[in-house]
């Protein structure tokens, strides 16, 4: 992905040199033309066209903000309810992510989801131990959310 | 335009301060370290972010001064506060801080045995 972005910038610079006009707008025009060229030549690259990765990153950021707001609402509900009738607990979650930065990102996202907080990660990077605020009705739904997060992160790193 | 922006800025800053207040009430009310950490690491994060966003909007619309340091501050808070919550939780667990009496399951205990 980084290689394709670098190549695209090179094409933009070459466009600027060919036109002999060094301004932001000519850089942008060159970048657009480079984007078209890379899209046309996409089958020669070992990885997929990089705009897909950019879209996946934007999608992940949107999920992040949505979950941040939802988690705040659910925590506020627990705090402001007159009785504390929650059932906290620590449960284990298997993850299929491999690289360190993916697991860090997943842990950060889990920490900002409604009612879950990462306590520990096992030594072989395969299991996350998560403290949940309300475990009985939530665990199934949490696993669904985790799967959607994992899929979004895999989409970024593909 | 100015009036609408004033309304939005006021809403953001009020929302942020209310969220911070509620998270401190949560720190007082909740029973053990782990559930308090939920309140501290979530509600406080969004509260601080919305206050800073309100400040950024105020200075960029009314004073016409774009302060990028506030945006950087928002990004740093977003990146660091979940990590801080995780580290406090982990340290509390390994120094054997007791869980609340109503805690249902504890899978992490099995890990230490095995």
């Amino acid at each position: 992905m980084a290689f394709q972005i670098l190549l695209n910038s090179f094409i933009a610079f070459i466009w600027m040199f060919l036109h002999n006009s060094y301004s932001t707008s000519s850089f942008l025009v060159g970048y657009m033309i480079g984007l078209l060229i890379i899209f046309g030549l996409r089958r020669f690259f070992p990885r997929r066209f990089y705009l897909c990765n950019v879209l996946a990153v934007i999608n992940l950021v949107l999920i992040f903000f949505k979950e941040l707001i939802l988690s705040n609402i659910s925590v506020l509900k627990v705090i402001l309810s007159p009785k504390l009738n929650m059932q906290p607990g620590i449960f284990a979650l298997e993850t299929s992510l491999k690289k360190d930065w993916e697991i860090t990102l997943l842990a950060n996202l889990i920490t900002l989801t409604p009612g879950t907080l990462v306590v520990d990660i096992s030594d072989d990077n395969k299991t996350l131990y998560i403290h949940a605020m309300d475990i009985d009705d939530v665990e199934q739904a949490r696993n669904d959310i985790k799967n959607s997060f994992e899929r979004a992160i895999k989409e970024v790193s593909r | 335009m100015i009036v609408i922006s004033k309304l939005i800025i006021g809403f953001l800053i009020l929302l942020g301060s209310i969220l911070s207040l509620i998270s401190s009430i949560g720190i007082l009310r909740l029973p053990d370290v782990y559930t308090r950490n939920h309140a501290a690491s979530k509600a406080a994060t969004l509260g601080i972010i919305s206050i800073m966003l309100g400040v950024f909007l105020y200075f960029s619309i009314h004073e016409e001064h774009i302060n990028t340091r506030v945006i950087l501050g928002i990004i740093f808070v977003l990146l660091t506060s979940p990590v801080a919550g995780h580290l406090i939780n982990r340290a509390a667990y390994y120094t054997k801080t007791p869980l609340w009496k109503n805690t249902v399951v504890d899978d992490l205990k099995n890990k230490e045995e095995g």
Side-chain angles (χ1 to χ4, degrees):
Chain A
M1 178 181 166
F3 172 70
Q4 292 182 31
I5 294 175
L6 198 62
L7 190 63
N8 205 341
S9 311
F10 268 122
I11 294 172
F13 276 113
I14 287 172
W15 179 262
M16 275 160 68
F17 290 139
L18 284 175
H19 266 244
N20 207 8
S21 72
Y22 307 101
S23 64
T24 316
S25 61
S26 72
F27 181 82
L28 285 179
V29 171
Y31 203 87
M32 290 301 155
I33 289 170
L35 214 56
L36 280 179
I37 292 172
I38 288 179
F39 183 73
L41 299 176
R42 66 189 178 283
R43 74 187 178 93
F44 296 106
F45 294 107
R47 303 186 55 186
R48 62 183 179 154
F49 184 50
Y50 79 91
L51 268 195
C52 302
N53 292 67
V54 174
L55 287 181
V57 170
I58 292 172
N59 185 24
L60 196 63
V61 171
L62 289 182
I63 290 178
F64 184 81
F65 279 106
K66 195 190 98 194
E67 293 298 331
L68 183 64
I69 293 168
L70 283 181
S71 76
N72 273 283
I73 293 171
S74 73
V75 168
L76 293 194
K77 261 187 208 155
V78 172
I79 291 173
L80 294 179
S81 65
K83 259 193 200 157
L84 288 177
N85 49 6
M86 58 191 180
Q87 290 186 314
I90 296 179
F91 67 93
L93 176 81
E94 302 285 322
T95 179
S96 57
L97 297 176
K98 293 285 185 305
K99 294 179 197 125
D100 280 348
W101 67 267
E102 291 171 340
I103 294 171
T104 311
L105 197 58
L106 182 68
N108 265 4
L109 285 173
I110 288 171
T111 301
L112 290 170
T113 46
T116 47
L117 238 168
V118 178
V119 180
D120 198 8
I121 298 168
S122 67
D123 298 332
D124 55 355
N125 281 352
K126 287 215 174 78
T127 316
L128 298 174
Y129 294 96
I130 299 168
H131 182 271
M133 216 171 189
D134 213 348
I135 204 157
D136 52 344
D137 62 337
V138 164
E139 190 169 352
Q140 187 56 42
R142 285 298 81 77
N143 279 330
D144 292 345
I145 291 178
K146 301 293 135 52
N147 289 335
S148 77
F149 277 155
E150 266 193 22
R151 218 177 311 124
I153 292 174
K154 272 183 192 161
E155 195 69 19
V156 169
S157 69
R158 199 168 72 180
Chain B
M1 179 62 200
I2 296 290
V3 179
I4 297 172
S5 73
K6 266 181 186 162
L7 278 178
I8 293 174
I9 291 164
F11 174 74
L12 276 175
I13 290 181
L14 261 182
L15 181 78
S17 32
I18 289 171
L19 277 172
S20 305
L21 174 71
I22 293 177
S23 83
S24 38
I25 292 174
I27 292 173
L28 286 176
R29 256 198 94 190
L30 291 171
D32 68 346
V33 177
Y34 309 97
T35 44
R36 280 178 188 162
N37 218 334
H38 278 277
S41 71
K42 281 169 203 161
T45 312
L46 192 61
I48 290 166
I49 285 172
S50 59
I51 290 175
M52 294 216 290
L53 201 61
V55 170
F56 174 76
L57 285 179
Y58 179 81
F59 277 99
S60 57
I61 291 172
H62 293 263
E63 312 274 327
E64 292 177 352
H65 172 249
I66 308 274
N67 196 341
T68 45
R69 274 175 233 170
V70 181
I71 297 290
L72 276 183
I74 290 176
I75 294 172
F76 287 150
V77 168
L78 261 183
L79 286 180
T80 50
S81 92
V83 181
H86 161 64
L87 282 179
I88 292 171
N89 247 1
R90 188 183 145 91
Y93 195 89
Y94 283 112
T95 48
K96 305 207 164 39
T97 311
L99 294 155
W100 191 34
K101 61 181 190 308
N102 288 11
T103 302
V104 194
V105 283
D106 189 359
D107 286 342
L108 192 49
K109 212 163 36 183
N110 306 332
K111 178 209 170 193
E112 284 177 325
E113 289 164 1

